[in-house]
Amino acid sequence: MKTTLSDRLSLYLPIVLMGLLALGSWWLVRSAPRPLAAQAVALPENQQDYTVEDFSTQQFAADGHLTSQIWGQQARHYLQADILEIDQVRTRSQGAQGVLTTTSAQRGISNSDASEVQLWGTAKVERHYPNGKPPMVLEGEFLHAWPQLERLRSHLPVTLTRGGSRFTGNSLEYDNARQVALLQGRVRGHIEAPKRTR
């Protein structure tokens, strides 16, 4: 039995068509434009990634009691520097020995874990003691605090008040753990005389 040309074509035609389709697919893949690489959008260091208005936050200990609160008129977070800037900031925190510390300022700047805080404009830190001792008040245009280390510093004039005693100086280094307050520059002070008991 003889095979005709049409029989041969019908036998090889599907193979030829599949080869042409494969060649066409390969050509399309080679000539298609390459996808663009995904690029992370870098924010400038001074660009905010979120803003909060008229807010307050609370922090609680593991046993559920309130340890600290923060209030502010407006807060701005800067992603690259990872800092939080708060207008009209006020804070309140309760220490382990029952010492209540409050702060206020026109502007506050804190790092991400609040281990370093700067208070600008009418800055004030008050420490109230549970045993009846008079509170200690620190006031100035700038106060730089490390709350966990219980240290405070200022390169600008500061007033320190405790009961009826009052001291002023051009700069301050305060270390609560060592109970040392170092005022430098033009230092002036008034110490209240202890009350006499009869």
Side-chain angles (χ1 to χ4, degrees):
M1 187 164 126
K2 262 184 155 182
T3 57
T4 63
L5 181 61
S6 64
D7 290 337
R8 284 187 188 169
L9 280 177
S10 63
L11 183 67
Y12 293 112
L13 185 62
I15 296 171
V16 170
L17 284 175
M18 290 296 284
L20 287 172
L21 282 173
L23 187 62
S25 298
W26 174 81
W27 178 80
L28 279 174
V29 168
R30 294 275 296 164
S31 30
R34 289 200 168 97
L36 296 173
Q39 295 179 359
V41 177
L43 292 172
E45 202 164 313
N46 61 350
Q47 187 168 339
Q48 306 160 20
D49 60 336
Y50 68 82
T51 303
V52 183
E53 304 272 343
D54 293 323
F55 72 96
S56 71
T57 64
Q58 289 87 31
Q59 234 179 356
F60 297 88
D63 64 1
H65 78 274
L66 183 66
T67 57
S68 67
Q69 294 173 279
I70 300 174
W71 297 268
Q73 191 177 71
Q74 185 185 71
R76 296 168 296 281
H77 184 259
Y78 297 89
L79 182 64
Q80 294 293 84
D82 198 16
I83 60 169
L84 187 66
E85 182 179 23
I86 304 171
D87 294 336
Q88 302 303 321
V89 64
R90 292 181 298 125
T91 70
R92 181 180 193 276
S93 62
Q94 190 81 38
Q97 287 81 30
V99 178
L100 173 67
T101 303
T102 61
T103 69
S104 63
Q106 292 173 8
R107 186 167 62 111
I109 300 172
S110 172
N111 62 353
S112 60
D113 64 355
S115 62
E116 185 177 353
V117 179
Q118 296 179 40
L119 301 171
W120 294 87
T122 322
K124 186 175 188 178
V125 175
E126 294 182 64
R127 290 177 63 88
H128 299 271
Y129 303 93
N131 55 7
K133 286 171 34 177
M136 183 185 70
V137 181
L138 293 160
E139 296 173 277
E141 280 305 301
F142 171 74
L143 296 172
H144 192 165
W146 292 266
Q148 287 141 0
L149 301 174
E150 295 190 348
R151 288 178 48 219
L152 194 133
R153 177 185 299 160
S154 181
H155 64 285
L156 296 177
V158 174
T159 301
L160 187 154
T161 308
R162 182 114 189 228
S165 300
R166 181 182 172 93
F167 301 91
T168 59
N170 291 348
S171 66
L172 169 74
E173 290 275 346
Y174 176 73
D175 186 338
N176 186 60
R178 295 189 309 143
Q179 292 291 296
V180 174
L182 176 63
L183 288 160
Q184 294 181 325
R186 189 174 178 184
V187 178
R188 292 185 172 193
H190 167 77
I191 299 174
E192 182 180 49
K195 293 179 180 174
R196 291 184 180 181
T197 55
R198 293 184 180 189

